[in-house]
Amino acid sequence: GHKNIISFCGRPFKDVHHMNRGLIERWNAVVGPNDRVYHLGDACMGDISYTLPLIGELNGYKILVPGNHDRVFSGESQAKRERFLPLYQEVFQEIAPESMGLTTESDFDFRVCHFPYVGDSHDGDRFNKQRPVDDGLPILHGHIHSKWKVNGRQINVGVDVWDYEPVPMDVVMELL
Protein backbone atom coordinates (compact mmCIF):
# COMPACT_ATOMS: atom_id res chain seq x y z
CA GLY A 1 0.00 0.00 0.00
CA HIS A 2 3.00 2.36 -0.02
CA LYS A 3 2.81 4.02 -3.43
CA ASN A 4 5.87 6.23 -2.90
CA ILE A 5 8.15 3.24 -2.25
CA ILE A 6 7.85 2.37 -5.96
CA SER A 7 9.85 5.47 -6.91
CA PHE A 8 11.95 5.62 -3.70
CA CYS A 9 13.38 2.15 -4.34
CA GLY A 10 12.93 1.84 -8.10
CA ARG A 11 10.50 -1.06 -7.75
CA PRO A 12 9.40 -2.55 -11.09
CA PHE A 13 5.69 -1.91 -10.62
CA LYS A 14 3.55 0.58 -12.57
CA ASP A 15 1.33 1.51 -9.60
CA VAL A 16 0.45 0.48 -6.04
CA HIS A 17 -2.24 -2.01 -7.14
CA HIS A 18 0.23 -3.70 -9.51
CA MET A 19 2.80 -3.80 -6.68
CA ASN A 20 0.34 -5.26 -4.16
CA ARG A 21 -0.75 -8.00 -6.57
CA GLY A 22 2.87 -8.69 -7.59
CA LEU A 23 4.05 -9.01 -4.00
CA ILE A 24 1.20 -11.39 -3.15
CA GLU A 25 1.91 -13.51 -6.24
CA ARG A 26 5.65 -13.71 -5.51
CA TRP A 27 5.04 -14.54 -1.83
CA ASN A 28 2.63 -17.35 -2.69
CA ALA A 29 5.04 -18.77 -5.29
CA VAL A 30 7.62 -19.27 -2.50
CA VAL A 31 5.52 -19.89 0.63
CA GLY A 32 3.30 -22.94 1.00
CA PRO A 33 0.12 -23.07 3.10
CA ASN A 34 1.91 -24.84 5.99
CA ASP A 35 5.16 -22.84 5.96
CA ARG A 36 6.04 -20.69 8.98
CA VAL A 37 6.95 -17.12 8.00
CA TYR A 38 8.37 -14.34 10.11
CA HIS A 39 7.31 -11.04 8.55
CA LEU A 40 9.83 -8.50 9.81
CA GLY A 41 7.57 -5.50 9.85
CA ASP A 42 6.02 -2.77 7.77
CA ALA A 43 3.34 -5.16 6.62
CA CYS A 44 1.06 -2.53 5.14
CA MET A 45 0.57 1.18 4.74
CA GLY A 46 -2.06 3.45 3.35
CA ASP A 47 -5.74 2.75 3.92
CA ILE A 48 -5.57 -0.05 6.50
CA SER A 49 -9.10 -1.20 5.69
CA TYR A 50 -7.81 -2.03 2.19
CA THR A 51 -4.18 -3.01 2.78
CA LEU A 52 -4.36 -5.15 5.93
CA PRO A 53 -6.87 -7.67 4.47
CA LEU A 54 -4.39 -8.29 1.63
CA ILE A 55 -2.16 -10.04 4.20
CA GLY A 56 -4.91 -12.66 4.46
CA GLU A 57 -4.21 -13.64 0.84
CA LEU A 58 -0.65 -14.67 1.72
CA ASN A 59 0.16 -18.35 2.27
CA GLY A 60 1.64 -19.70 5.45
CA TYR A 61 1.51 -19.37 9.19
CA LYS A 62 2.36 -15.69 9.48
CA ILE A 63 4.15 -14.19 12.47
CA LEU A 64 4.49 -10.41 12.51
CA VAL A 65 7.57 -8.86 14.10
CA PRO A 66 6.25 -5.27 14.07
CA GLY A 67 8.04 -2.47 12.25
CA ASN A 68 7.74 1.28 12.48
CA HIS A 69 4.90 1.47 9.92
CA ASP A 70 2.75 -1.15 11.66
CA ARG A 71 -0.01 0.25 13.83
CA VAL A 72 0.86 -2.29 16.55
CA PHE A 73 4.46 -0.98 16.77
CA SER A 74 5.64 0.08 20.24
CA GLY A 75 6.35 3.59 18.94
CA GLU A 76 2.59 4.09 18.53
CA SER A 77 0.33 5.13 21.40
CA GLN A 78 -1.05 2.38 23.62
CA ALA A 79 -4.59 3.34 22.54
CA LYS A 80 -3.70 3.03 18.84
CA ARG A 81 -1.98 -0.33 19.35
CA GLU A 82 -4.98 -1.66 21.29
CA ARG A 83 -7.41 -0.40 18.62
CA PHE A 84 -5.52 -2.06 15.75
CA LEU A 85 -4.35 -5.29 17.44
CA PRO A 86 -7.60 -7.20 16.71
CA LEU A 87 -7.37 -6.25 13.02
CA TYR A 88 -3.77 -7.49 12.79
CA GLN A 89 -4.74 -10.69 14.63
CA GLU A 90 -7.30 -11.41 11.92
CA VAL A 91 -4.55 -11.85 9.30
CA PHE A 92 -1.46 -12.80 11.35
CA GLN A 93 -1.46 -15.96 13.43
CA GLU A 94 0.96 -14.35 15.91
CA ILE A 95 2.19 -10.88 16.79
CA ALA A 96 5.72 -11.41 18.12
CA PRO A 97 7.98 -9.17 20.18
CA GLU A 98 9.77 -6.50 18.14
CA SER A 99 13.11 -8.23 18.69
CA MET A 100 13.58 -11.88 19.47
CA GLY A 101 16.14 -14.63 19.35
CA LEU A 102 15.48 -17.79 17.35
CA THR A 103 17.29 -21.11 17.02
CA THR A 104 17.39 -23.21 13.85
CA GLU A 105 16.82 -26.97 13.80
CA SER A 106 20.62 -27.33 13.74
CA ASP A 107 20.95 -25.23 16.93
CA PHE A 108 22.18 -22.04 15.25
CA ASP A 109 21.13 -18.92 17.15
CA PHE A 110 20.21 -15.64 15.50
CA ARG A 111 17.99 -12.61 16.10
CA VAL A 112 15.04 -11.22 14.11
CA CYS A 113 13.91 -7.60 14.25
CA HIS A 114 12.52 -5.06 11.82
CA PHE A 115 15.61 -2.92 12.49
CA PRO A 116 19.27 -3.81 12.02
CA TYR A 117 21.66 -3.19 14.90
CA VAL A 118 22.95 -0.15 13.00
CA GLY A 119 21.98 1.48 9.72
CA ASP A 120 18.87 3.07 8.31
CA SER A 121 17.18 3.85 5.02
CA HIS A 122 17.79 7.52 5.88
CA ASP A 123 21.03 9.29 6.78
CA GLY A 124 20.92 8.79 10.56
CA ASP A 125 19.72 5.84 12.61
CA ARG A 126 16.14 6.31 13.80
CA PHE A 127 14.05 4.37 16.32
CA ASN A 128 17.01 3.77 18.63
CA LYS A 129 14.72 2.76 21.53
CA GLN A 130 13.25 -0.06 19.45
CA ARG A 131 16.52 -1.37 18.01
CA PRO A 132 17.99 -4.49 19.58
CA VAL A 133 21.22 -4.35 21.52
CA ASP A 134 23.98 -6.02 19.53
CA ASP A 135 24.59 -9.17 21.57
CA GLY A 136 26.88 -10.77 19.00
CA LEU A 137 24.16 -12.80 17.29
CA PRO A 138 23.59 -12.50 13.54
CA ILE A 139 20.41 -10.54 12.83
CA LEU A 140 17.78 -10.85 10.11
CA HIS A 141 16.06 -7.52 9.55
CA GLY A 142 14.23 -5.26 7.12
CA HIS A 143 13.79 -1.46 7.38
CA ILE A 144 16.68 -0.36 5.15
CA HIS A 145 15.11 -1.30 1.80
CA SER A 146 17.93 -1.64 -0.75
CA LYS A 147 20.84 -0.21 1.25
CA TRP A 148 22.56 -3.62 1.57
CA LYS A 149 21.84 -7.34 1.43
CA VAL A 150 24.50 -8.43 3.94
CA ASN A 151 26.47 -6.11 6.21
CA GLY A 152 28.66 -8.20 8.52
CA ARG A 153 26.28 -10.18 10.78
CA GLN A 154 23.30 -8.10 9.60
CA ILE A 155 21.21 -9.75 6.87
CA ASN A 156 18.55 -7.63 5.19
CA VAL A 157 15.66 -9.93 4.27
CA GLY A 158 13.55 -7.08 2.89
CA VAL A 159 11.89 -7.62 -0.48
CA ASP A 160 13.82 -4.83 -2.21
CA VAL A 161 17.01 -6.93 -2.31
CA TRP A 162 15.41 -10.38 -2.74
CA ASP A 163 13.43 -10.05 -5.98
CA TYR A 164 10.31 -8.98 -4.04
CA GLU A 165 9.73 -12.32 -2.34
CA PRO A 166 10.37 -13.95 1.06
CA VAL A 167 13.80 -15.45 1.71
CA PRO A 168 13.73 -19.23 2.27
CA MET A 169 15.44 -20.57 5.39
CA ASP A 170 17.99 -22.59 3.40
CA VAL A 171 19.20 -19.34 1.79
CA VAL A 172 19.34 -17.67 5.21
CA MET A 173 21.36 -20.59 6.57
CA GLU A 174 23.90 -20.26 3.76
CA LEU A 175 24.33 -16.58 4.63
CA LEU A 176 24.56 -17.27 8.36
Side-chain angles (χ1 to χ4, degrees), residues 30 167-176:
V30 173
V167 184
M169 195 60 190
D170 61 332
V171 173
V172 168
M173 287 305 299
E174 285 178 29
L175 293 170
L176 292 173

Side-chain angles (χ1 to χ4, degrees), residues 32-51:
N34 298 316
D35 291 340
R36 176 183 284 272
V37 180
Y38 289 86
H39 188 296
L40 301 187
D42 292 357
C44 57
M45 288 186 62
D47 179 356
I48 196 93
S49 66
Y50 167 70
T51 57

Side-chain angles (χ1 to χ4, degrees), residues 49-125:
S49 66
Y50 167 70
T51 57
L52 194 56
L54 295 174
I55 301 295
E57 296 182 36
L58 301 173
N59 287 340
Y61 183 92
K62 298 174 292 291
I63 302 164
L64 176 65
V65 177
N68 56 292
H69 289 295
D70 295 308
R71 283 142 174 108
V72 293
F73 176 62
S74 66
E76 298 289 351
S77 72
Q78 182 69 25
K80 186 174 187 177
R81 290 194 321 262
E82 288 176 4
R83 186 176 74 217
F84 283 101
L85 183 60
L87 299 174
Y88 276 76
Q89 289 172 325
E90 287 178 18
V91 295
F92 286 99
Q93 284 70 43
E94 293 181 39
I95 309 295
E98 290 176 8
S99 175
M100 58 191 278
L102 295 174
T103 302
T104 67
E105 291 177 5
S106 56
D107 291 328
F108 192 92
D109 295 328
F110 62 99
R111 179 164 303 290
V112 294
C113 183
H114 175 67
F115 303 104
Y117 293 127
V118 295
D120 206 294
S121 57
H122 294 272
D123 290 335
D125 287 0

